[in-house]
Amino acid sequence: MERLTTLVYWPSKAALALLFVGVTVLQTLSFPGKFRYMQSIGEMTVGERWTATALVAYEFLCLQVVLVAIWVLLGWIRRDRIFDESSFRWVDAIIWAIVGAALLPAGLLVALALFGALDDPGLPFLLTMVTLGGLVLALLMLVMRSLLRQATTLRSDMDEVI
């Protein structure tokens, strides 16, 4: 098992680091630059530009929280500390970040509906699917949290016996 953990650990850490850097570049350079360009050619107003920038930055921030939590949990797996009560804080952070990211498209859908800006059926469908996808991921993490809780209880029971 230790060999498998070592084989998976470093590539996973490298992938998480690369993904974090890539997300940060998208969050701070790519999307703001794209929105600035769209404003300069008249496709976006100043208010729309800053709103879009803030919304995209928020979504990427939620993703960064998930990446950091996974990074920490990977380290705890390697040190055989994953079955500790403190690991639940990190799993909860993942769940809340996913829920937070999923609620943004739901809120956007409601806002667009209230302002009568839903003239194309594709956008409401997309926003609904993204919201449902995020909520399904949160549900999956809740199931995984429950399994971690059971494993932690079993581990502590075994530690008491031994």
Side-chain angles (χ1 to χ4, degrees):
M1 184 66 167
E2 180 62 34
R3 181 163 162 68
L4 178 64
T5 302
T6 302
L7 286 174
V8 172
Y9 179 77
W10 291 112
S12 297
K13 285 278 192 162
L16 286 170
L18 288 172
L19 188 55
F20 191 90
V21 168
V23 165
T24 302
V25 168
L26 289 172
Q27 179 186 35
T28 58
L29 299 174
S30 296
F31 278 96
K34 174 68 175 173
F35 297 148
R36 183 174 41 252
Y37 172 74
M38 289 173 70
Q39 179 199 347
S40 73
I41 62 171
E43 289 184 12
M44 218 179 223
T45 66
V46 173
E48 290 170 339
R49 169 189 167 193
W50 288 110
T51 301
T53 301
L55 294 177
V56 167
Y58 170 78
E59 288 291 316
F60 282 131
L61 179 64
C62 290
L63 178 56
Q64 288 167 327
V65 168
V66 170
L67 295 174
V68 168
I70 293 171
W71 179 281
V72 170
L73 289 172
L74 270 176
W76 286 9
I77 289 170
R78 185 154 194 244
R79 292 186 303 275
D80 198 29
R81 285 191 51 212
I82 193 65
F83 299 112
D84 188 65
E85 286 292 320
S86 55
S87 64
F88 289 98
R89 285 182 300 161
W90 294 101
V91 175
D92 290 341
I94 292 170
I95 293 168
W96 283 111
I98 292 171
V99 168
L103 289 179
L104 183 80
L108 187 57
L109 180 62
V110 169
L112 290 172
L114 288 175
F115 290 111
L118 293 177
D119 52 352
D120 175 19
L123 183 60
F125 183 73
L126 174 67
L127 292 173
T128 302
M129 291 297 103
V130 170
T131 300
L132 290 175
L135 294 177
V136 166
L137 281 176
L139 181 60
L140 173 66
M141 286 307 302
L142 282 170
V143 170
M144 298 303 287
R145 185 186 191 284
S146 175
L147 292 172
L148 179 62
R149 170 66 65 201
Q150 290 176 1
T152 302
T153 302
L154 289 173
R155 176 77 176 256
S156 65
D157 290 348
M158 284 179 50
D159 288 344
E160 287 176 16
V161 170
I162 298 173

